Amino acid sequence: MSITPQETDLFSLLEHRYSVRGFTDQVIEKTVLQEIFQKSQQAPSNCNTQPWQAYVISGERCRQFAKSLAEAIVGGAPSKPDFDVTLGFFDEYRQRQVDCAYALYGSMGIERGDKAGRGAAMLRNYDFFGAPHVAFIAMPKSFGIVNALDVGIYLQTLNLVMESYGVGSCIQGALAYYPDLVRKELGLPEDDSMQILCGISFGYEDKNHAANNTRTVRADLGENVSFYE
Ligand SMILES: Cc1cc2nc3c(=O)[nH]c(=O)nc-3n(C[C@H](O)[C@H](O)[C@H](O)COP(=O)(O)O)c2cc1C
């Protein structure tokens, strides 16, 4: 059975898409799930090498893993990412990060000085924001920044294809922080030959979840783009 995407106009998708951080329990039909990942295979890559690996966990298994991951982290599991995760934001980049955090915490009613509230909101990353699906995105350990460009393009493709099927998602760098626990769950070799770059939680949006009122803005064009003639 083929499922028709609900929205395929690119400009409309770009305008209306936002990160979703609260989901209903409804599991996405397997045929839809497969179509989403099949269509995303069209992402371009350097020499067509397609270096991405997506590990999709669904349904009860996803919820069980969220539970055990969050428990392990609260219990003090060490964070040992596969690559340097230093963000190194400064000046306007730092300001945008702060604005982004305020937008999220503000929509959830978390006050500026509420450390516990912020901690709990951060921990929601590891509950996959309640989603019935999560995909961990990886590439071989020997690959570097050139190949990570391809994976980034894949992520955006996946993100927009999901959106076109009415599926909300949140790409999460936070899901790169405990790769050993992820590899164990996925049955991948412990030798970290696949590096876990990030995750993406997804499913149908819970329209009543406060976090989903978060909206972000973009810089003026001149801050990011220079035209030369
Ligand atoms: C590579 C990447 C990593 C991200 N990591 C996280 C994360 O760990 N947790 C989170 O809540 N959002 C995360 N986000 C979502 C961003 O915060 C979000 O895309 C940004 O604030 C713009 O908002 P929008 O997606 O609603 O347009 C990430 C997005 C990207 C592209």
Side-chain angles (χ1 to χ4, degrees):
M1 181 173 69
S2 181
I3 316 301
T4 310
Q6 296 175 5
E7 174 61 78
T8 52
D9 177 65
L10 178 62
F11 295 159
S12 176
L13 288 172
L14 289 172
E15 190 182 343
H16 297 124
R17 187 211 60 83
Y18 50 83
S19 292
V20 170
R21 298 182 180 89
F23 298 87
T24 70
D25 299 340
Q26 191 187 340
V27 171
I28 299 167
E29 256 184 70
K30 201 156 188 189
T31 41
V32 178
L33 202 57
Q34 275 177 341
E35 278 199 31
I36 286 172
F37 282 88
Q38 182 65 58
K39 286 195 161 51
S40 302
Q41 286 291 99
Q42 285 304 119
S45 55
N46 196 334
C47 299
N48 199 26
T49 44
Q50 307 158 62
W52 52 83
Q53 285 293 322
Y55 302 98
V56 187
I57 311 179
S58 294
E60 187 52 30
R61 179 150 178 196
C62 174
R63 298 314 313 149
Q64 281 300 328
F65 184 43
K67 195 165 172 270
S68 63
L69 189 59
E71 274 170 11
I73 292 166
V74 170
S79 167
K80 283 191 293 175
D82 291 333
F83 58 99
D84 182 4
V85 292
T86 310
L87 293 169
F89 297 138
F90 60 92
D91 297 345
E92 68 268 35
Y93 307 106
R94 171 76 185 135
Q95 188 56 50
R96 290 173 194 156
Q97 180 198 26
V98 169
D99 292 348
C100 170
Y102 283 158
L104 176 59
Y105 297 140
S107 69
M108 296 176 77
I110 299 169
E111 302 284 339
R112 215 170 160 159
D114 181 0
K115 264 192 159 179
R118 292 168 72 128
M122 179 60 191
L123 207 54
R124 292 190 68 239
N125 273 286
Y126 301 101
D127 186 44
F128 313 141
F129 302 116
H133 306 270
V134 65
F136 287 91
I137 308 295
M139 69 177 185
K141 177 80 176 173
S142 57
F143 285 177
I145 196 165
V146 173
N147 319 88
L149 286 177
D150 299 334
V151 182
I153 290 174
Y154 172 71
L155 268 172
Q156 171 70 330
T157 306
L158 185 60
N159 196 229
L160 290 176
V161 171
M162 284 181 178
E163 189 73 17
S164 76
Y165 278 86
V167 169
S169 67
C170 186
I171 298 168
Q172 293 165 261
L175 296 185
Y177 283 55
Y178 299 90
D180 292 341
L181 298 176
V182 174
R183 274 189 285 272
K184 192 166 173 214
E185 173 67 21
L186 298 174
L188 296 177
E190 283 175 23
D191 64 3
D192 71 3
S193 54
M194 292 304 290
Q195 49 182 328
I196 308 291
L197 296 182
C198 68
I200 177 168
S201 297
F202 61 99
Y204 296 107
E205 178 180 354
D206 176 356
K207 300 269 182 201
N208 296 318
H209 199 291
N212 292 334
N213 294 323
T214 310
R215 294 294 178 275
T216 53
V217 293
R218 299 298 184 266
D220 290 338
L221 188 62
E223 292 188 41
N224 293 104
V225 183
S226 305
F227 295 99
Y228 294 84
E229 292 187 346

